[in-house]
Amino acid sequence: MLQEFREFIARGSVVDLAVGVVIGAAFTAIVNSLVNDILMPPLGLIIGGIDLSSFFITLKGAGNYPSLEAAKAAGAVTINYGLFLNAVIRFVIVAFAIFVLVKQVNRLYHAKPAEPAAPPAPPRQEILLTEIRDLLKQSAR
């Protein structure tokens, strides 16, 4: 069993998967920063200076809470639809980035290969030897 496990780990596809997971985690951090630090502030400004991540509905808990953090600190049960909207925006960005990446990779794989160059002409001696061979074959008949 240990030998099979070693063979499994040593496969190229497992290593490729591990690399993909690490790069995916790094890409997720970049997308989160893009959404939270670049896209959401202008979007919040457009909709009246409100941060989408602070949108929530209190299901259980007394009173109105000024922020999601305050509601969580008070132990209120909330539906955090603003955080859900942020997650949807992140997903759309990641999906679009992957779409563009796959499209480019497919374009590279399906690109027409360059026409192979014509083989160079044989040297003069080879042409003469071929002619001599052909003449000898004809005279032998």
Side-chain angles (χ1 to χ4, degrees), residues 21-140:
V21 167
V22 170
I23 289 175
F27 188 68
T28 299
I30 291 170
V31 169
N32 285 339
S33 177
L34 176 68
V35 170
N36 294 333
D37 303 330
I38 307 253
L39 295 178
M40 296 315 283
L43 186 58
L45 186 63
I46 290 171
I47 62 172
I50 299 171
D51 180 17
L52 283 181
S53 64
S54 66
F55 290 175
F56 67 97
I57 298 172
T58 304
L59 295 178
K60 182 179 178 186
N64 290 333
Y65 301 101
S67 69
L68 179 59
E69 291 78 23
K72 285 184 178 182
V77 178
T78 59
I79 293 179
N80 307 321
Y81 66 92
L83 293 174
F84 175 74
L85 291 174
N86 278 349
V88 168
I89 291 170
R90 279 189 209 107
F91 171 78
V92 169
I93 291 169
V94 170
F96 180 73
I98 290 172
F99 167 75
V100 170
L101 178 70
V102 168
K103 185 173 179 168
Q104 293 305 315
V105 168
N106 285 340
R107 194 180 113 240
L108 289 175
Y109 280 126
H110 298 322
K112 283 187 175 180
E115 296 276 335
R124 176 87 175 128
Q125 308 116 294
E126 196 172 323
I127 294 173
L128 289 173
L129 287 172
T130 304
E131 289 175 2
I132 292 171
R133 181 196 66 200
D134 293 343
L135 287 172
L136 286 173
K137 279 184 182 179
Q138 284 178 350
S139 66

